[in-house]
Amino acid sequence: MATVAIPSASKAARRARTLRNNLSGYLFIGPWLLAFLLFTAAPMVTSLYFSFTNYDVFTAPQWAGLSNFETMFTKDGRYWKAVQATLTFVFTAIPLRLVVALGLAMLLKAGRRGDGIYRAAYYAPSIVGGSVAVAVMWRQVFGTQGIINAISAIFGLPAITFLGDPNWAIWTLVALAVWQFGSPMLIFLAGLKNIPTEFYEAASIDGAGPIRKFITITLPLLSPVILFNLIMQIISGFMVFTQAFIVTGGAPLDTTLFYALYIYRRAFENFQMGYASALAWVLMLVIGIFAAVVFKTSSGWVFYENKDGN
Amino acid sequence: MNIAAKLPSRRKIAGSVIYHVLVAGFALVMLYPLLWMFASSFKPSEEVFRTVTSLIPSRIELDNFVRGWKGFGGTTFTTFYANSLFYAGMATVLSVGASSIVAYGFSRIKFAGRGFWFACMLMTLMLPVQVTIIPQYVAFVNLLELRNSFLPLLLPRMGGQAFFIFMIMQFIRGIPKELDEAAEIDGCGRFGIFFRIILPLIQPALITAAIFSFYWTWEDFLGPLIYLNAPQQYTVSLALRAFSDPSAGTDWGAIFAMSSVSLVPVFLIFIFFQRYLVQGISTTGLKG
């Protein structure tokens, strides 16, 4: 948009202005553009090339055609373990986290006295949740002598070796993820505050109870925010690394070998850069497909009241 | 006396009590693991798991902090802390500074290809680091021989981060264009407008971005794990992991003490800047 309207501007002056805008535009986005080309675009292309090679870093990459992908899908049992662990995690931790986040946002939305403190308390785990310190602590919480076992002992329940039991280990990581519901909760809270109170008042006059109000008013009007949270959380869910690396290290029996952890192992412990790149590209495509599916189906369940819904 | 008027108020009080008991109770459950970690850092080592459900140490064992701070292999937590502060500080200055410049370019200047590059930027939000990290590693470590250097961790931030660029753009959108126009009439160029008009007005967004950048870099683990191999270069995250390795560490008092110490900057920022955090997350849906 022309910042100053000059009705009789000649073509040449307009062209000079466009040129100036192009120059200053690229000057301002220059740092990002340079970093994008150097550290994102070029590595992506290189990574795609690596994925068709065998490459151990020390000798030049050797063309291997589709063999990495063939190995991945047909011969590598650990790959499917990693897929299973990751999908189990994403499809349990993410819905649970969003449900808890929405539930607490509903509780806190009235803004009663003391809610600022509660909000901070619920959010606190999220700000430290990705740290090594919390992962180290979590390992001990679920350790054989940890708090969970100490509490269950009070009720006379037998001790469980959560981290060593293939049936249990992944749930300690799901619990750690659900524990960090703070960010989506804050996003839900902001969304809830945007719903006009008149809607609820009108519904009350019509005799609607709280559950009916939630289903007919809150959920539809909040759906753009839910969509946003869902997509962001799915993306981050697929990339969980630190927690799995520290708390379980992928054990027992690879039941917590999250995809990002498996890539790390292949790339930086086995130095199979080609295979790891193939793994990474498949991850990227899968994340893209998931995001696309959520977007595509969203027209069926997301309700946009006005165009700046989210 | 009107009983009818009194009844609802009594019901209200009861409801409010139930509400606070429930919400506060749940908050306590949520905070319990963190409180346990802090409490354990003051417990004598042998007591950490003997009185696991207790939050109160039998005696305050400050020696945990002294033993923990000594670190390992002759490198103390002074070094680890300095490394982490350097890494998080530099990364934050770089990425917030660059992000604000780029955000201005994207939101206020109409240039050819803007839509395309903006879409590219948003796409990077969904990009798993695993796709770029391997070629980056090969380039930095094998070609440029940047071993045990912070450069591979810092250089990619010189262009800002998509999250912050997007957030600052949202903020700039709220600034009336008339301000830019007035400044232009007064003879301000693009840089003048950016530095004199926009930059002072987007301060809250910059603070929010700085906090998140600091947090994410402070707890960054994968990057340092790949690039930093010498204990002299370890960040707090790496040091904690080495320190608490199940095969090596059994001094739980010291491990919990250092874990707690590693979270001190995070909590200090949280306490003093909570407002900016909440605003940042609420307006852009940044992950925390």
Side-chain angles (χ1 to χ4, degrees):
Chain A
M1 183 184 294
T3 47
V4 186
I6 310 166
S8 60
S10 69
K11 243 187 193 154
R14 234 183 299 149
R15 209 174 297 145
R17 186 168 183 87
T18 312
L19 185 68
R20 241 190 359 257
N21 271 344
N22 281 346
L23 266 176
S24 54
Y26 278 95
L27 211 57
F28 271 96
I29 72 156
W32 172 80
L33 193 56
L34 190 64
F36 173 74
L37 295 175
L38 276 178
F39 302 116
T40 305
M44 274 178 77
V45 175
T46 316
S47 171
L48 186 61
Y49 164 67
F50 282 169
S51 71
F52 296 109
T53 66
N54 289 325
Y55 183 36
D56 65 359
V57 187
F58 308 106
T59 51
Q62 285 168 327
W63 186 257
L66 289 170
S67 73
N68 282 330
F69 296 94
E70 203 190 314
T71 308
M72 194 190 306
F73 293 129
T74 59
K75 294 180 199 137
D76 186 359
R78 294 191 83 196
Y79 172 77
W80 291 107
K81 284 277 200 179
V83 169
Q84 194 192 347
T86 311
L87 290 179
T88 309
F89 176 80
V90 169
F91 282 109
T92 53
I94 302 309
L96 278 172
R97 179 193 271 182
L98 289 182
V99 166
V100 175
L102 181 56
L104 281 155
M106 289 297 292
L107 267 181
L108 294 181
K109 84 176 162 132
R112 276 170 262 234
R113 184 193 281 267
D115 278 358
I117 294 167
Y118 297 141
R119 197 182 57 194
Y122 292 143
Y123 184 55
S126 300
I127 61 164
V128 294
S131 66
V132 172
V134 162
V136 167
M137 176 266 283
W138 208 254
R139 200 168 63 202
Q140 299 314 317
V141 165
F142 282 95
T144 35
Q145 297 173 293
I147 309 173
I148 305 293
N149 273 322
I151 291 172
S152 61
I154 296 171
F155 297 103
L157 297 166
I160 299 168
T161 48
F162 288 103
L163 300 173
D165 186 333
N167 294 320
W168 278 104
I170 195 168
W171 303 111
T172 65
L173 294 169
V174 170
L176 177 55
V178 176
W179 185 55
Q180 298 164 50
F181 61 79
S183 304
M185 179 192 74
L186 291 181
I187 299 169
F188 280 138
L189 261 175
L192 287 171
K193 291 216 169 100
N194 284 336
I195 299 176
T197 48
E198 292 85 43
F199 289 175
Y200 293 108
E201 285 156 12
S204 291
I205 293 167
D206 291 344
I211 293 169
R212 210 181 145 69
K213 277 189 222 164
F214 180 74
I215 291 169
T216 56
I217 299 172
T218 311
L219 277 185
L221 289 178
L222 202 62
S223 53
V225 184
I226 297 175
L227 170 70
F228 177 81
N229 266 335
L230 194 62
I231 288 182
M232 297 313 290
Q233 297 292 329
I234 286 178
I235 293 172
S236 66
F238 273 108
M239 301 184 204
V240 167
F241 172 77
T242 309
Q243 291 90 329
F245 185 89
I246 305 272
V247 178
T248 58
L253 301 176
D254 291 338
T255 49
T256 61
L257 185 68
F258 288 168
Y259 206 106
L261 180 58
Y262 189 46
I263 293 178
Y264 172 81
R265 290 263 150 88
R266 287 289 184 170
F268 297 104
E269 286 177 5
N270 306 338
F271 290 100
Q272 293 172 307
M273 297 298 188
Y275 192 63
S277 296
L279 288 170
W281 265 83
V282 171
L283 173 67
M284 189 180 76
L285 294 179
V286 169
I287 290 177
I289 290 168
F290 266 95
V293 167
V294 174
F295 257 122
K296 279 265 184 259
T297 63
S298 69
S299 57
W301 59 271
V302 171
F303 172 82
Y304 287 102
E305 189 206 3
N306 45 23
K307 54 188 184 303
D308 57 311
N310 183 31
Chain B
M1 279 251 278
N2 190 343
I3 293 172
K6 230 179 169 179
L7 265 177
S9 86
R10 203 176 272 167
R11 232 163 105 202
K12 229 178 192 171
I13 291 169
S16 155
V17 166
I18 292 171
Y19 171 80
H20 281 285
V21 167
L22 273 178
V23 179
F26 190 65
L28 188 68
V29 172
M30 291 292 297
L31 289 180
Y32 194 87
L34 290 174
L35 296 174
W36 178 71
M37 180 174 71
F38 288 125
S40 298
S41 65
F42 292 102
K43 285 179 179 175
S45 266
E46 69 280 2
E47 197 183 305
V48 170
F49 291 107
R50 217 179 49 216
T51 60
V52 71
T53 49
S54 162
L55 287 182
I56 300 150
S58 66
R59 62 188 160 86
I60 302 283
E61 177 92 352
L62 291 176
D63 192 51
N64 287 338
F65 292 88
V66 179
R67 284 199 319 279
W69 197 266
K70 281 197 189 115
F72 48 85
T75 316
T76 67
F77 265 82
T78 313
T79 309
F80 306 141
Y81 235 79
N83 288 339
S84 273
L85 283 175
F86 170 77
Y87 175 33
M90 287 297 285
T92 300
V93 169
L94 269 177
S95 56
V96 177
S99 296
S100 64
I101 294 171
V102 174
Y104 174 79
F106 271 127
S107 51
R108 281 295 211 256
I109 305 172
K110 219 180 173 189
F111 55 91
R114 179 171 73 161
F116 173 75
W117 294 121
F118 182 65
C120 283
M121 192 198 71
L122 287 185
M123 293 289 260
T124 63
L125 283 173
M126 292 189 7
L127 192 73
V129 288
Q130 282 77 13
V131 176
T132 54
I133 205 165
I134 292 169
Q136 280 188 19
Y137 174 85
V138 171
F140 282 128
V141 176
N142 282 53
L143 301 179
L144 301 172
E145 309 246 337
L146 287 169
R147 286 188 183 84
N148 286 317
S149 155
F150 283 91
L151 277 179
L153 298 167
L154 291 173
L155 277 178
R157 318 223 182 194
M158 70 182 197
Q161 269 168 287
F163 267 123
F164 304 145
I165 297 173
F166 183 65
M167 186 182 78
I168 297 169
M169 281 180 70
Q170 300 284 82
F171 213 87
I172 292 179
R173 232 167 254 167
I175 299 171
K177 276 219 173 93
E178 289 75 23
L179 281 179
D180 299 37
E181 286 158 16
E184 202 178 348
I185 290 164
D186 288 346
C188 248
R190 290 287 186 195
F191 282 92
I193 295 173
F194 173 69
F195 281 107
R196 287 193 217 147
I197 313 286
I198 302 291
L199 212 49
L201 288 173
I202 58 171
Q203 258 181 29
L206 297 184
I207 295 173
T208 308
I211 294 168
F212 278 111
S213 171
F214 185 87
Y215 275 1
W216 294 343
T217 324
W218 185 263
E219 70 177 28
D220 182 22
F221 181 67
L222 182 59
L225 180 67
I226 289 170
Y227 289 110
L228 309 172
N229 303 312
Q232 288 78 28
Q233 257 87 41
Y234 272 14
T235 59
V236 172
S237 298
L238 280 185
L240 262 184
R241 184 245 169 172
F243 197 50
S244 67
D245 192 48
S247 57
T250 44
D251 187 355
W252 286 107
I255 289 168
F256 281 117
M258 287 307 102
S259 297
S260 304
V261 165
S262 81
L263 298 180
V264 167
V266 178
F267 277 112
L268 282 182
I269 291 173
F270 182 53
I271 290 163
F272 289 109
F273 293 97
Q274 211 212 110
R275 187 163 61 92
Y276 292 99
L277 273 175
V278 173
Q279 266 170 10
I281 295 167
S282 312
T283 51
T284 60
L286 272 171
K287 95 178 191 61

